[in-house]
Amino acid sequence: MIKAIKGVKDLLPEETPRWRLIEETARRWALRYGFQEIRVPIFETTTLFARSIGATTDIVEKEMYTFPDRDGSSLTLRPEGTAGAVRAFIEHNRAADPRPQKFCYLGPMFRHERPQAGRLRQFHQFGVESFGMSDPRADVEVLSLLWRMLYDLSLPGLTLELNNLGYAEDRARYKPTLVTYLKGVEAQLCSNCRRRIDANPLRVLDCKVPECRTATDGAPRLADALSPEARAHFDRVTSGLQALGIPFHLNHRLVRGLDYYCLTAFEVTCSHLGAQNAVGAGGRYDGLVEQLGGPVVPAVGFAVGLERIALMLPEESAIGATPRVYVAAFGTAAAAVGFTLLDELRRTGVPADMDFRAASLKAHLRQADRLRSLYAVILGDDEVAQGRVTIRNMQTKAQEEITLSEVSSTLQTRLLTP
Ligand code: HAM
């Protein structure tokens, strides 16, 4: 038997209503904030990701699905959405259009991680990218969108964590001090972090291994090395959040696994998610457009993981099956009329169904129950001859007779008018 590959998941009909709710909520909120949807390819040239996410990050070093194209060029399944959005922004010369430009996207991403609950190899992100504004209110805007959207979904136990990563020069000034400190505690660090000391020392602060956390407790802090401009930007972000009543915690260890960030970096975690507790994350990336060959364009954005939201979504928020009408037509003449009626109901917007295998009224009503239909329209040959049908309320079992020509308008009124 051929099975799905490890770390990818089928979404069966029981789960898709929850997913639709998440997707619709995310899109609705993003549109409300002026973000417009874009759709970019699932695979891109490998260099795009290596250059943007960073050659020494876990994603680029260990997790990308990279393969040679038939002409030998190297392609990669996108591990995240920001790089592709920036590539499209540059390629379509959007910087020449009036700014700001605010995009949102939704789709599958691919990372070769060790699969567990909430961590997959094909997962889905909803993300937003706001191009063209260096004003700290642009950071607050995406943060408030993220917070309000997750709040609207009634996710439990959310915490917004925030850090100031400063400008590249601030980090360059800080790194030697940090490296000296890390070399002093090297023996206590995990093998991954020992390797990172030279390649990507800031990431050591973000390591979740308890020994590494203890060893880095006394490390010098980036906050103490920040320029006045970086501090001023961050202060305006935090005061902006306070003004909107959005709660947050400062976390000086938050570094993020992607190298393009500067200034504001953030994560929303959920206490109910165990080890994979980040529901969404993002930050400012003012240098990335230029780094990928475009003009200097400041930008800020985030992405949320849809699998993680789906795991936390309260049970009752799933929208059940849509209200349905079941057409129970039995007998030769009635079956033909019933099939036309089914088409008429659907054309007029009434969700309707019929099992073409059922031949008796009993078999039809059993199916109507199984589909949790609200109404069954019952018609046999005798009813059809008189131009009449019976409408049965499947919950109360009450029945009424109406003319065939009234069926769709009656059901439209009952099901489609608020
Ligand atoms: P990220 O933190 O790598 O950021 O991913 C964002 C979110 O995607 C995570 O918080 C998590 O919910 C979800 N996620 C990541 N990996 C997996 C996985 N293996 N399985 C399930 N869910 C996962 C980014 O991707 C940035 N592009 C965000 C961004 C947009 N920054 C600026 N703009």
Side-chain angles (χ1 to χ4, degrees), residues 105-281:
Y105 51 85
L106 192 154
M109 309 289 161
F110 306 85
R111 295 183 195 176
H112 192 276
E113 294 197 77
R114 206 157 36 81
Q116 59 185 78
R119 187 163 71 192
L120 288 112
R121 291 183 175 173
Q122 174 177 314
F123 60 98
H124 296 76
Q125 281 186 346
F126 175 80
V128 308
E129 313 294 352
S130 166
F131 292 106
M133 292 184 282
S134 53
D135 191 297
R137 280 173 295 181
D139 310 38
V140 178
E141 180 178 54
V142 298
L143 278 162
S144 87
L145 167 58
L146 172 62
W147 189 254
R148 308 260 182 250
M149 189 181 95
L150 296 175
Y151 194 82
D152 192 19
L153 285 163
S154 310
L155 302 191
L158 294 179
T159 307
L160 168 61
E161 295 192 5
L162 218 56
N163 193 17
N164 185 357
L165 295 179
Y167 293 102
E169 309 82 68
D170 296 334
R171 291 193 301 275
R173 204 168 338 110
Y174 164 67
K175 264 182 196 168
T177 346
L178 177 64
V179 169
T180 310
Y181 176 88
L182 293 176
K183 292 230 158 105
V185 295
E186 191 167 350
Q188 299 156 52
L189 300 176
C190 72
S191 57
N192 223 351
C193 283
R194 281 206 292 271
R195 226 169 27 83
R196 283 174 178 152
I197 293 182
D198 290 312
N200 204 343
L202 266 84
R203 283 288 290 162
V204 177
L205 299 174
D206 211 19
C207 182
K208 304 287 182 287
V209 174
E211 288 74 19
C212 294
R213 293 189 88 81
T214 314
T216 52
D217 259 349
R221 293 196 177 183
L222 173 59
D224 299 325
L226 293 174
S227 56
E229 296 77 19
R231 283 174 210 265
H233 181 97
F234 195 68
D235 285 347
R236 288 186 54 200
V237 174
T238 51
S239 57
L241 290 172
Q242 276 155 354
L244 300 186
I246 297 172
F248 60 88
H249 292 275
L250 297 180
N251 176 359
H252 71 94
R253 285 180 177 273
L254 197 157
V255 175
R256 312 275 300 117
L258 306 103
D259 282 352
Y260 47 64
Y261 293 111
C262 64
L263 299 169
T264 319
F266 54 86
E267 257 176 33
V268 172
T269 56
C270 171
S271 51
H272 297 50
L273 269 178
Q276 303 311 315
N277 65 355
V279 194

